[in-house]
Amino acid sequence: TRGVASLFKLQVSSDGRSWRDLKTFESANNSMLDFGTIPATPATKYYFRTIYNNNPNLMSEVVTVTTESEQQVGNPGFEDYHTAIMHVSPLGWIYDYDREWYLPYKQGETDPWWAVNSKKTMPDGHTAWTSNFCKNFPCTAYSTVAYSGEKSAMVYSINVSDGNTDGTAIGNTVPGEIWIGKADDSGNHSADGHAFANRPSALKFMYRYADVNNENFSVTIVMYGGGKEIARTEVIDGAAASEWKERVVPIVYSDLMTKADKIYISFKSAVPDASNKVQVRTAVSMEIAGQNRTAHIGSALRIDDIQLIYE
């Protein structure tokens, strides 16, 4: 409230006893001094004070700030997967069978990060006098084609229908999706996001993408704080890549003051066209969960080594 603004300096300490000048003010607005941005190290405690005209008798109170750690999402390399069994009972009891599907977390884990929408393409009630892969098939899995480690996550579009045959796909094609949150027994979202206290600036991941008819995959990232969105980025231009390729997606914040408390990330195998359609190829053979599987498969995305960037 008094003094010459240019005579104020900001000082910093790592222990609250030994101090050094950090910088002078950048701008002043009435009684507010702005010192601009300050370099900082994650998970570190800092002590700040201001001093006027280098006079030790004219110092502010000390403010203590602890920076956040560089938290990462759970299962970022998708090495943790387990196989679940769905018992399918089509019309006619002699056609019962077990269908494997794949969940991206350790069996028995009480607080998994990732969910899948495979139950959307795994109906129980269907006729059974054609091969069951065209009636019931998961739309996400792990792949043994990995950038590092032994596994990557895999999402792929699937067409299943009671009217399908081995060589025809007349049902609606469903894009495969993996997201941070929870799914219900029908493969729908029952919860989006997971507790997360940090504010990353970008998402980096490795991917391979086999598209159908120039389709694109999508990525959505949302940060929450205080019960509202504080950042959202949606990418719908994920293009084909026959070899592993790096993608960095900036996270754009609309609220720079609210502390983050939840993160949501979603990967989808295809973006629907103007008529809300997704493409598919009939009777395609592809490596899924380490085995060559045949189904009515569309665009297929493999994801590995997710990393959140802090800058």
Side-chain angles (χ1 to χ4, degrees):
T1 56
R2 60 191 176 94
V4 179
S6 60
L7 295 179
F8 283 92
K9 288 184 178 178
L10 183 67
Q11 294 186 321
V12 65
S13 171
S14 60
D15 58 10
R17 297 184 297 273
S18 300
W19 296 86
R20 64 179 176 86
D21 291 348
L22 185 60
K23 62 193 307 186
T24 55
F25 85 109
E26 290 189 359
S27 64
N29 181 15
N30 296 326
S31 60
M32 183 70 68
L33 296 176
D34 185 350
F35 289 92
T37 58
I38 299 167
T41 302
T44 303
K45 189 174 185 178
Y46 292 94
Y47 301 81
F48 293 104
R49 71 183 185 187
T50 56
I51 185 169
Y52 181 73
N53 200 25
N54 293 318
N55 187 336
N57 296 315
L58 295 175
M59 291 185 297
S60 70
E61 294 182 359
V62 175
V63 174
T64 303
V65 175
T66 302
T67 55
E68 297 173 341
S69 62
E70 294 186 353
Q71 187 179 356
Q72 298 294 327
V73 302
N75 199 18
F78 298 107
E79 295 299 306
D80 296 333
Y81 260 88
H82 74 277
T83 301
I85 301 296
M86 175 185 178
H87 185 71
V88 184
S89 302
L91 301 177
W93 64 270
I94 62 172
Y95 298 106
D96 286 15
Y97 61 91
D98 289 334
R99 169 71 77 221
E100 292 181 325
W101 61 304
Y102 310 93
L103 299 171
Y105 49 89
K106 293 179 180 178
Q107 189 168 7
E109 190 170 345
T110 58
D111 189 24
W113 277 75
W114 298 94
V116 299
N117 69 330
S118 277
K119 283 295 185 74
K120 282 185 172 293
T121 55
M122 299 178 69
D124 190 8
H126 60 77
T127 54
W129 43 81
T130 53
S131 298
N132 60 47
F133 73 82
C134 64
K135 309 281 191 177
N136 175 302
F137 202 87
C139 56
T140 76
Y142 68 84
S143 172
T144 54
V145 178
Y147 177 73
S148 67
E150 297 180 353
K151 298 185 182 76
S152 63
M154 187 176 182
V155 294
Y156 43 93
S157 303
I158 284 289
N159 186 295
V160 295
S161 170
D162 191 49
N164 283 357
T165 66
D166 293 2
T168 61
I170 63 173
N172 292 324
T173 302
V174 176
E177 182 185 12
I178 181 172
W179 74 92
I180 292 179
K182 296 179 180 179
D184 62 21
D185 288 338
S186 297
N188 299 308
H189 291 224
S190 62
D192 287 343
H194 196 286
F196 195 88
N198 294 9
R199 295 171 63 103
S201 57
L203 171 71
K204 181 170 73 173
F205 59 94
M206 303 300 297
Y207 76 94
R208 291 177 65 167
Y209 185 53
D211 69 299
V212 176
N213 295 334
N214 296 315
E215 280 187 331
N216 298 109
F217 69 86
S218 69
V219 186
T220 301
I221 310 158
V222 184
M223 301 297 303
Y224 297 90
K228 63 179 182 179
E229 289 187 11
I230 60 174
R232 172 179 284 270
T233 301
E234 294 181 283
V235 171
I236 59 173
D237 64 350
S242 58
E243 302 295 332
W244 286 105
K245 187 175 182 179
E246 180 182 282
R247 181 77 187 253
V248 178
V249 179
I251 300 174
V252 181
Y253 287 86
S254 57
D255 183 337
L256 298 177
M257 301 302 294
T258 303
K259 183 175 176 61
D261 56 29
K262 187 168 69 170
I263 188 172
Y264 169 78
I265 300 174
S266 166
F267 293 91
K268 289 184 180 180
S269 63
V271 178
D273 62 18
S275 59
N276 203 34
K277 298 292 185 181
V278 175
Q279 303 296 312
V280 71
R281 294 170 291 184
T282 56
V284 175
S285 294
M286 185 176 295
E287 180 273 326
I288 295 173
Q291 300 181 49
N292 195 46
R293 308 290 180 92
T294 300
H296 297 326
I297 304 174
S299 298
L301 171 68
R302 291 177 171 87
I303 315 141
D304 208 355
D305 289 1
I306 288 177
Q307 181 181 2
L308 293 169
I309 307 299
Y310 293 83
E311 293 180 347

